[in-house]
Amino acid sequence: MKKSILQNAHLVLSNLAGSDLIEADLTNADLADANLTNANLTNADLADANLTNANLTNADLADANLTNANLTNADLADANLTNANLTNADLADAKLAGTILPPLNNVRRFEFLKKTKIITWENLNLRSQSEVKIAEELDKRDLLFFPNSAARLTTKEGRKNKEPDFLICYKTTKGFKWEIIEVDSPYHQPKRRVEEQEREMDFERNGVIIYRFDSKKCYTEPDQVVDEFLELLENQNSYLSNN
């Protein structure tokens, strides 16, 4: 169903799990209570669509247009919304556990996310209490860091936008280093891990390494997480100087 024309379609309660809806035109479609788990909606146009109570777990909505879409009570757990246009979208009571959202802390402010579970800390938007704990720990140490900010980099597919959890600058014994802390949520699944590995390689090609830490550990032991991260940076310098 790639590039399907489904404008104004009545798709209430439809089972579209795993469907290929890349670049589909679903403007003003009624998808209330639809099953769209694992659906590929990359670059799809869902402007003004009704997605109330829709199941979009693990759906790929990268670069999708969701302007004015109604996502009330939709399940977006582990969905990919990278670069999606959510202008005026209604996300009231939407489930966002593990969801990859558009950049939270860049110039564009997503006022429509106020009703969701986005957490504001020091006027910055974070996705979990685990991220808050890491941010607080980095702050205690007077470190320069950028949480949930978009980066522009070269990938195998060309220039892309990627959003690391924490891009951190640290002065090691060999000079300043920029590396990334990623907070792994308990919702990560094999499919997501493959995507994460690809993202890690993209950053490494551009000279930045991603270090992953379990969400629970980030919440309960943020000091140890940051200690380990900084130690890894120092050890990385030692390895490079000896090779």
Side-chain angles (χ1 to χ4, degrees), residues 36-51:
L36 288 155
T37 56
N38 296 300
N40 191 341
L41 289 150
T42 305
N43 286 301
D45 192 348
L46 289 148
D48 298 297
N50 179 18
L51 289 152

Side-chain angles (χ1 to χ4, degrees), residues 26-29 46-50 65-70:
L26 288 154
T27 53
N28 206 41
L46 289 148
D48 298 297
N50 179 18
N65 180 16
L66 288 154
T67 303
N68 297 314
N70 186 352

Side-chain angles (χ1 to χ4, degrees), residues 10 12 20-21 30 49 55 59 70-71 79 82 88 98 108 110 118 125 131 138 164-165 182 186 200 222 228 238:
H10 182 75
V12 175
D20 183 354
L21 292 164
D30 192 349
N55 187 348
N70 186 352
L71 288 152
T82 303
N88 296 321
R108 187 164 48 151
F110 294 102
I118 300 303
N125 294 315
E131 287 192 4
L138 294 170
D165 290 349
E182 288 279 305
E200 288 167 13
E228 185 177 341
S238 298

